[in-house]
Every structure is written in C-alpha cells, then in structure tokens.
Amino acid sequence: RGRLLDALREVECIPTEPDGRLALPGACLLLPESPKAAEASHYLPPELLWQCCQKRIVRRKWAGQYRPHLQRLGIEELGLEHWLCVLRSTASCAALPCQPSNGPVEVAS
C-alpha cells in the first residue's frame, strides 16, 4: 500500500475545482471540515488560490467520497496559512514567496 501511495503522489490524479482538471496531490487542498471555514472557502476563487499559492481545491464531490484516501496521500485542508498567503499576495503574487509553513504564522502588527 505504501508504494502505491508513493507512486500516486507523482501522478496528476486528483480532480480539482472548478472544471475537474487533474493535479498532483501535492498541489491540492481539501475544503475544511468545519462548516464555517468551508462556507468561507466558497468566496475564494480557484484561480486566485492557484495564482498565489500554487494550490487547487479537490473537487467537492470527489473529496466527500475519498477524503480518508486523499489525506493518506498527504493532501491537507485549506487553512489559515493559505488564507494569509492569499491575503499577503493579492497585491503582488510574484513578489512574495507563497509556500505555507508548518510552523507558527507571524502576523505583522
């Protein structure tokens, strides 16, 4: 099973919003399970998320059916770090590195 998951991580096999375009698992995000966070994500245009963070949202219907499998592939949820990335980058996506970190997020005051 581990070898299969490793192989799938290198293949564009995940259908994404809005048109079903296939993407690598590492370039995908799941919608949050929290109802309020999931609702907020509907206001984030897929093109903007891609432009700023190089990430795509997994097709909703597909994510609903295969969420545990997608998580085993290492696909994470759209989270605060992605929102901050988009908010920082809307002025100039090319000028800012936009890779979410696993560490704490610093907010400028």
Side-chain angles (χ1 to χ4, degrees):
R1 182 184 282 188
R3 289 193 307 201
L4 178 59
L5 289 175
D6 288 341
L8 285 173
R9 288 184 182 106
E10 304 299 321
V11 177
E12 291 180 343
C13 59
I14 308 297
T16 61
E17 295 291 349
D19 57 7
R21 176 184 300 191
L22 297 179
L24 292 168
C28 296
L29 295 170
L30 292 164
L31 288 177
E33 288 189 284
S34 158
K36 293 217 182 252
E39 182 181 338
S41 69
H42 293 292
Y43 295 101
L44 178 61
E47 309 81 35
L48 184 61
L49 182 63
W50 177 254
Q51 181 182 15
C52 297
C53 299
Q54 300 296 295
K55 298 285 186 176
R56 299 188 187 283
I57 297 293
V58 175
R59 200 92 197 233
R60 285 165 177 80
K61 183 177 178 182
W62 218 73
Q65 289 180 294
Y66 302 109
R67 189 176 194 91
H69 305 293
L70 296 167
Q71 289 172 322
R72 277 189 230 123
L73 279 171
I75 299 176
E76 58 187 26
E77 282 189 1
L78 174 68
L80 179 60
E81 65 273 13
H82 302 104
W83 281 101
L84 291 173
C85 177
V86 169
L87 292 171
R88 279 193 316 255
S89 301
T90 52
S92 176
C93 287
L96 295 171
C98 198
Q99 295 300 320
S101 67
N102 292 333
V105 175
E106 291 184 31
V107 178
S109 53

